[in-house]
Amino acid sequence: MTELLSVLDAMAFESCQTLASTPAVRRVPTGDEQEPSELVAVIGFSGDLLRGAVGLTGTREALRATHPATLAGETTNPEQLDDWLAEMVNQLLGRFKAHLHRRGVGIWMSTPLLLRGLSLSVASSGDQVHRYELVLSGGHVFTFWLDLNADAGLTLGEIAEGDANTPNPGDVLFF
Amino acid sequence: MGPRILVVDDSATIRDQVRRALQPAGFEVFDARDGIDGLAQLDSAPDTALVICDVHMPRMDGLEMIALLRDRGDRRPVLMLTTEGQPALILRAKASGARGWIIKPFDPMLLVKAVQVLSSPPAVR
């Protein structure tokens, strides 16, 4: 893996860690088989020199068990579970985007879309596709992947002082 | 029932989370799925005290919605709730008339405090 891809991989890994709130994230080695899913949430992104997509899968059981409504003692319906998967992938890409921004790279995100199928999985493709397993509360596993296409001219800047002050998840700003 | 709050977000999960945080604190919460729906809701509920709004949404995003509200002379406070953290975007929202910005995921207690501050009438000295 090139140094650039290594840094991008580290950004993605850290994004997963902050979503999980625990360090229960594992890089899935290239070539490892992925458990097929019936539901995948995908978001595309693009910038001047970087583009790609991220995706997140999880079982219905995992989605139900980790849904905020379930954690609040309420029941959920299938539409809520779909939406929860979409919201999680949105937050994951949002964190990745924040990391990129701190290094001077901007990307534009689409809104999440859900893919339904009988057996959906991501092909492992060398340096282009990075996969991570996130273990959320109750031991429920989700798989996140990042499919990257970086132009040869892409460079990551040092974290500028201003960008170091970019707000973090949970921050509240008043104007 | 306390002040009426509109939450505008294409994510039902977020709309539910905001409702779950604010209702126990005495707020009346109703919601919209995007900026177009949000504008329609505000037109039919002039007593809305505060809008909580996502940035990226289908049909009309949050910044477009704020700009249209201000063009209409609507000065109700808007609090952005989003995964976005780019300073340029935050400045743009501030220039458009937003009063605050929260990065998802939010702390329910901080959300309640922010809403209490922004939905309260200004002190008169």
Side-chain angles (χ1 to χ4, degrees), chain B residues 39-114:
Chain B
L39 289 174
Q41 296 271 9
L42 286 170
D43 284 345
S44 63
D47 58 340
T48 302
L50 175 91
V51 181
I52 298 170
C53 185
D54 190 10
V55 172
H56 297 303
M57 295 179 288
R59 298 203 300 168
M60 180 186 289
D61 70 32
L63 297 182
E64 288 178 84
M65 191 190 85
I66 295 176
L68 279 172
L69 280 176
R70 299 308 181 230
D71 283 348
R72 296 179 184 182
D74 190 324
R75 293 289 175 260
R76 281 177 281 195
V78 179
L79 174 62
M80 308 307 294
L81 177 61
T82 171
T83 56
E84 285 283 0
Q86 293 186 53
L89 208 56
I90 296 172
L91 286 174
R92 191 177 143 203
K94 182 181 176 185
S96 293
R99 296 285 305 281
W101 190 283
I102 301 180
I103 309 289
K104 294 174 185 173
F106 63 89
D107 180 317
M109 284 176 51
L110 288 181
L111 178 68
V112 169
K113 287 192 191 311

Side-chain angles (χ1 to χ4, degrees), chain A residues 103-170:
Chain A
R103 303 294 292 270
V105 177
I107 59 171
W108 182 257
M109 296 164 47
S110 64
T111 49
L113 62 92
L114 288 179
L115 302 177
R116 300 178 198 283
L118 297 175
S119 180
L120 302 172
S121 62
V122 174
S124 171
S125 180
D127 282 347
Q128 184 165 347
V129 178
H130 304 250
R131 289 183 293 160
Y132 313 86
E133 279 186 351
L134 297 77
V135 182
L136 300 190
S137 58
H140 298 285
V141 179
F142 291 81
T143 301
F144 174 71
W145 75 84
L146 173 63
D147 190 329
L148 275 175
N149 194 330
D151 287 3
L154 177 67
T155 57
L156 299 176
E158 296 300 318
I159 297 178
E161 184 178 325
D163 288 339
N165 293 325
T166 299
N168 294 308

Side-chain angles (χ1 to χ4, degrees), chain A residues 43-54:
Chain A
I43 306 183
F45 61 88
S46 64
D48 286 343
L49 297 172
L50 182 69
R51 66 202 61 81
V54 296

